[in-house]
């Protein structure tokens, strides 16, 4: 059994007011410079969690250059999920963040009440075992049958800062995809809108009037009947890589929803979230994590016409 959850230690985040920020208010610093959400500010004011130069502060207090605004950003919370013990491949972890290498065939987060054993349920167990009371917050998601890196925030503030990076393109997500056919060009871009497929609302398709979506790719290796690609998302639409590569004529191998190519080689889509890069939500320092190709995709590569590769 996990140990009894204990209170999270107080986590104070500081910001020194610059000359350009002087004349604004404490609330301006919290929202614009520190990236604290308005919802969190309401909680901080109730708990006296905002200070100006080490003293309790009013939100409308004016600030001067050199002043230090401090916010207490760790609050006790329920996880929101029943903890489920499961093996977790922890790639990176600190007081604010948790990065896991997710196996295929596992949902990141429940989308309906019957989903009771997702990766997030495992994270709830992991946090409870550490004695941490925190809500489970995935900063992004990958498909159930896609393997690879998933980033979780351990606090509302960290999640808010990561969400801003995701929206503004600062959180870089890179995938490895094994696709059907040999791609001649070394790199390319698919810039096509994506919307729900009118024939099946659970699927997506390239359609005029859909949401803006951009996928960039470059060739890692070519095989007689397939290509291994490094893919970077500029946007994060549902099934984006799978839909865009199908549109480009190179369906992801093993994908039973889009293209149905290479089903004998792969039990699931040959798509792996291999790299994440972002600024740490508290320190601003760059963080980069990687996860190597899983065994099933390596096995598929070996099975491609004897596995002979060419550049």
């Amino acid at each position: 059994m996990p140990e009894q959850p204990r209170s999270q230690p107080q986590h104070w985040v500081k910001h020194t007011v610059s000359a350009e920020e002087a004349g604004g208010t404490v609330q301006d610093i919290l929202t614009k410079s520190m990236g604290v959400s308005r919802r969190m500010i309401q909680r901080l004011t109730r708990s006296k969690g905002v200070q100006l130069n080490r003293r309790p502060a009013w939100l409308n207090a004016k600030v001067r250059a050199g002043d230090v605004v401090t916010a207490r950003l760790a609050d006790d919370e329920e996880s929101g999920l029943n903890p489920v013990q499961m093996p977790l491949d922890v790639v990176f972890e600190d007081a604010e963040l948790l990065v896991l290498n997710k196996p295929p065939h596992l949902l990141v987060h429940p989308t309906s009440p019957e989903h009771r054993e997702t990766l997030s349920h495992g994270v709830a167990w992991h946090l409870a075992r550490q004695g941490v009371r925190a809500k489970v917050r995935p900063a992004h998601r990958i498909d159930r049958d896609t393997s690879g890196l998933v980033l979780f925030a351990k606090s509302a503030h960290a999640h808010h800062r990561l969400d801003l990076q995701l929206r503004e393109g600062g959180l870089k997500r890179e995938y490895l995809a094994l696709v059907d056919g040999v791609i001649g060009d070394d790199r390319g871009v698919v810039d096509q809108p994506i919307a729900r497929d009118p024939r099946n609302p659970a699927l997506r398709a390239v359609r005029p009037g859909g949401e803006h979506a951009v996928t960039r790719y470059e060739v890692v290796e070519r095989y007689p009947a397939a290509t291994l690609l490094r893919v970077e998302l500029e946007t994060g639409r549902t099934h984006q890589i799978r839909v865009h590569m199908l549109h480009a004529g190179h369906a992801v191998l093993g994908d039973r929803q889009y293209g149905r190519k290479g089903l004998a080689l792969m039990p699931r889509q040959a798509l792996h979230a291999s790299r994440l890069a972002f600024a740490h939500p508290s320190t601003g320092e760059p963080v980069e994590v990687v996860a190597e190709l899983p065994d099933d995709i390596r096995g598929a590569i070996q099975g491609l016409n004897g596995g002979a590769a060419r550049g």
Side-chain angles (χ1 to χ4, degrees), residues 79-82 102 106-124 135-144 150 152 159:
S79 69
L81 297 171
N82 291 324
K102 184 185 83 69
L106 182 65
L107 283 169
V108 170
H109 200 73
T111 57
S112 63
E114 62 265 24
H115 296 152
R116 298 176 181 176
E117 293 191 9
T118 70
L119 187 65
S120 290
H121 288 88
V123 171
K135 186 177 179 180
V136 178
R137 292 183 171 92
H140 65 106
R141 302 183 190 187
I142 59 178
D143 293 338
R144 174 185 178 274
V150 182
F152 290 82
H159 186 263

Side-chain angles (χ1 to χ4, degrees), residues 251-293:
V252 176
L253 295 185
D255 193 333
R256 283 161 169 74
Q257 291 180 303
Y258 299 98
R260 300 185 62 82
K261 300 290 186 179
L263 300 185
L265 282 172
M266 282 292 298
R268 52 97 179 187
Q269 64 246 23
L271 187 59
H272 177 68
S274 59
R275 176 179 173 269
L276 288 174
F278 53 91
H280 194 282
S282 292
T283 67
E285 293 296 317
V287 178
E288 181 177 350
V289 288
V290 296
E292 299 298 322
L293 272 178

Side-chain angles (χ1 to χ4, degrees), residues 98-212:
L98 174 65
V99 182
L100 300 176
N101 185 12
K102 184 185 83 69
H105 316 301
L106 182 65
L107 283 169
V108 170
H109 200 73
T111 57
S112 63
E114 62 265 24
H115 296 152
R116 298 176 181 176
E117 293 191 9
T118 70
L119 187 65
S120 290
H121 288 88
V123 171
W125 173 273
H126 180 78
L127 296 177
R129 187 176 61 180
Q130 295 177 336
V132 175
R133 292 174 59 91
K135 186 177 179 180
V136 178
R137 292 183 171 92
H140 65 106
R141 302 183 190 187
I142 59 178
D143 293 338
R144 174 185 178 274
D145 289 344
T146 297
S147 58
L149 298 171
V150 182
L151 171 61
F152 290 82
K154 292 185 177 181
S155 68
H157 173 255
H159 186 263
H160 178 66
R161 294 300 296 266
L162 291 170
D163 186 60
L164 289 176
Q165 290 187 56
L166 184 63
R167 294 172 185 272
E168 296 169 359
L171 199 165
K172 302 298 184 182
R173 296 161 294 160
E174 195 172 279
Y175 293 74
L176 291 171
L178 188 61
V179 303
D180 181 57
V182 180
I183 297 178
D185 294 336
D186 288 341
R187 56 186 49 84
V189 179
V190 182
D191 184 348
Q192 294 290 338
I194 292 177
R196 290 188 183 274
D197 188 331
R199 297 167 298 181
N200 185 345
L203 302 182
R204 301 295 189 273
V206 168
R207 297 191 66 205
E211 293 182 294
H212 176 63

Side-chain angles (χ1 to χ4, degrees), residues 17 20-29 59-64:
V17 178
E20 291 77 15
E21 295 166 334
T25 65
V26 168
Q27 182 163 334
D28 291 335
I29 298 299
L59 293 179
N60 59 0
K62 297 290 185 179
V63 297
R64 298 174 297 181

